[in-house]
Amino acid sequence: MPTDFDILVIGAGQAGLSAGYHLQRLGLRPEQDFLIVDHAPGPGGAWQFRWPSLTLTTVNRVHDLPGMSFAETLPPGSESAPAATAVPHYYELYEKRFDLRVHRQVSVKVVCDRTEDGSPAERGPVLNAETDAAGTIRVRGLINGTGTWEHPFIPRYRGAETFAGRQLHTHDYRSAAEFAGKHVVIVGGGVSAVQLLDEISQVTSTTWVTRTEPIFRDASFGPEDGRAAVAKVEDRVRRGLPPGSVVSVTGLRLDDRLRAAKERGALRRLPMFDHIEPDGVRWADGTFQHADVILWATGFRSALDHLAPLRLRGPGGGITMTGRLATQVAADPRIHLIGYGPSASTIGANRAGRAAAVELTEFLRAG
Ligand SMILES: Cc1cc2nc3c(=O)[nH]c(=O)nc-3n(C[C@H](O)[C@H](O)[C@H](O)COP(=O)(O)OP(=O)(O)OC[C@H]3O[C@@H](n4cnc5c(N)ncnc54)[C@H](O)[C@@H]3O)c2cc1C
């Protein structure tokens, strides 16, 4: 197994698979010119870890990867199959059809520039990706598609460490049934928060808190709105700001399920509490709510720790991005981030994979 390639793709989720597909179309060969690694045990990207009640009817939409239909891989009658089985099955068939040869259970621990003697270099011609299971992989360019799933974000609230009940993030949610008979405080104003609130409020009592008043949209969310939302996030990353949440610019779509939840009073929202006590949460005006469980549905951040030695982050805390779809790191054109910021959706990941493959190949051929 060689360790030198033109391009390393880290992550075989929607973004990494799209990149692999397009690299091949550009004439690059898997395991010779480029290599895809992923540290998960099987195909499916983060989808293999989603909670069982997230089904193909409750996800927003999983767009087809380039060149192969998702629907055609679904057995009849599986329209409401769990996303955690249907999507990995699709990706598995996809990898086989396009012979992408993903190297699994290979974790990239660190990517850095180093000179031959191992000392840090300003910027060498080679990027070293140090892995746990495949040694150091030396490449000229990097397409990073490591997603957000592995970086659940929990904001800090005073007293959190004193809480005697259970705290968990959506990342670790499995089913509403485990909360029966307990009072659950759900924190967060995103799509996952309202979906889990809907499920849990059907089996037990809940309190829903969000930082800002959630905006529900009645009209269905059209392509125009989608483009506007993506443009706002793209503008932020081009200016070097952290991407921010897409829901903050789209609002929450009030579908039939959420409308029913609203009618039964489950979507009554309170502002954020001030702090956490051993047996509940307290607001600044002294109001107290007993809680057995605090569910943090407070989103995810990009999983980019392995890129830290490259010092890509600017003073604004974000990474300044450039290129046609803002996938290229402005300070280091050898590196593309896909599924990041404006491309953190299945359709965005598809497009970003293509843009990164085309631009990085052009860049390396020119160099
Ligand atoms: C609950 C939930 C529901 C969602 N629903 C939708 C939806 O309906 N529609 C939609 O468009 N989007 C949805 N999204 C957003 C979704 O995450 C993206 O659309 C897309 O699937 C992400 O693809 P990705 O390739 O960027 O990342 P991922 O699917 O997260 O893949 C990243 C891969 O990188 C690997 N990896 C990470 N770090 C390393 C490392 N250091 N070394 C090696 N491998 C590594 C991981 O093992 C993983 O396989 C949802 C997100 C969440 C959290």
Side-chain angles (χ1 to χ4, degrees):
M1 176 73 196
T3 56
D4 288 18
F5 303 90
D6 282 340
I7 295 173
L8 176 66
V9 179
I10 311 178
Q14 187 96 7
L17 293 182
S18 168
Y21 170 89
H22 287 290
L23 287 170
Q24 253 193 358
R25 286 183 45 116
L26 291 161
L28 280 78
R29 298 155 300 170
E31 291 181 337
Q32 292 189 53
D33 305 313
F34 74 93
L35 185 72
I36 309 179
V37 296
D38 192 298
H39 61 198
W47 292 100
Q48 65 196 287
F49 305 112
R50 305 275 202 244
W51 52 90
S53 58
L54 189 74
T55 68
L56 297 185
T57 43
T58 57
V59 294
N60 289 338
R61 179 174 166 193
V62 177
H63 282 262
D64 289 349
L65 280 159
M68 182 171 159
S69 149
F70 180 23
E72 280 170 21
T73 67
L74 293 170
S78 58
E79 292 75 17
S80 59
T85 51
V87 182
H89 177 62
Y90 171 47
Y91 285 10
E92 184 177 2
L93 297 178
Y94 189 86
E95 288 174 20
K96 283 194 184 130
R97 164 123 21 127
F98 296 105
D99 192 24
L100 293 174
R101 304 186 206 177
V102 176
H103 285 241
R104 290 197 197 290
Q105 295 188 293
V106 175
S107 190
V108 176
K109 296 295 180 193
V110 156
V111 180
C112 55
D113 283 298
R114 289 209 203 283
T115 55
E116 282 303 303
D117 65 0
S119 58
E122 267 306 296
R123 175 164 311 156
V126 164
L127 285 162
N128 292 305
E130 296 173 10
T131 76
D132 59 349
T136 297
I137 301 171
R138 294 157 38 94
V139 292
R140 296 169 62 220
L142 178 71
I143 298 181
N144 189 84
T146 49
T148 59
W149 181 252
E150 294 169 35
H151 249 213
F153 170 72
I154 298 184
R156 283 176 200 277
Y157 276 88
R158 184 160 57 89
E161 68 289 352
T162 69
F163 186 60
R166 178 177 174 203
Q167 296 187 65
L168 76 162
H169 187 277
T170 35
H171 177 273
D172 301 310
Y173 174 83
R174 300 314 291 166
S175 95
E178 60 189 287
F179 305 120
K182 302 192 162 133
H183 187 82
V184 184
V185 172
I186 296 168
V187 186
V191 179
S192 299
V194 288
Q195 285 191 351
L196 300 191
L197 174 65
D198 172 36
E199 286 182 25
I200 297 168
S201 64
Q202 294 186 43
V203 301
T204 196
S205 61
T206 52
T207 298
W208 182 32
V209 294
T210 70
R211 249 179 340 156
T212 54
E213 184 75 53
I215 299 167
F216 287 98
R217 303 164 61 103
D218 242 328
S220 71
F221 187 72
E224 282 291 299
D225 306 294
R227 273 193 286 276
V230 168
K232 282 194 179 158
V233 181
E234 184 173 321
D235 176 62
R236 286 181 61 84
V237 299
R238 285 192 190 277
R239 289 190 287 131
L241 297 170
S245 126
V246 175
V247 172
S248 64
V249 282
T250 61
L252 293 159
R253 190 163 64 85
L254 202 55
D255 59 12
D256 291 346
R257 264 181 71 186
L258 288 189
R259 204 166 286 118
K262 200 169 194 183
E263 274 160 23
R264 49 184 178 82
L267 299 192
R268 205 172 70 83
R269 168 264 174 188
L270 296 174
M272 272 314 293
F273 46 75
D274 177 71
H275 65 272
I276 299 170
E277 297 183 3
D279 54 352
V281 295
R282 194 176 293 280
W283 281 262
D285 67 0
T287 312
F288 179 77
Q289 171 63 56
H290 167 79
D292 302 297
V293 178
I294 301 175
L295 173 57
W296 297 98
T298 39
F300 297 83
R301 299 286 184 267
S302 301
L304 299 177
D305 288 355
H306 54 292
L307 304 183
L310 298 170
R311 300 181 184 207
L312 305 178
R313 288 191 194 279
I319 301 172
T320 306
M321 303 300 293
T322 187
R324 198 170 62 79
L325 293 183
T327 61
Q328 188 180 42
V329 175
D332 193 335
R334 300 170 300 174
I335 300 174
H336 283 253
L337 307 182
I338 59 176
Y340 173 77
S343 63
S345 67
T346 49
I347 190 163
N350 283 348
R351 292 175 182 153
R354 179 170 185 277
V358 170
E359 289 173 23
L360 185 56
T361 307
E362 275 170 10
F363 175 78
L364 296 178
R365 283 179 182 159

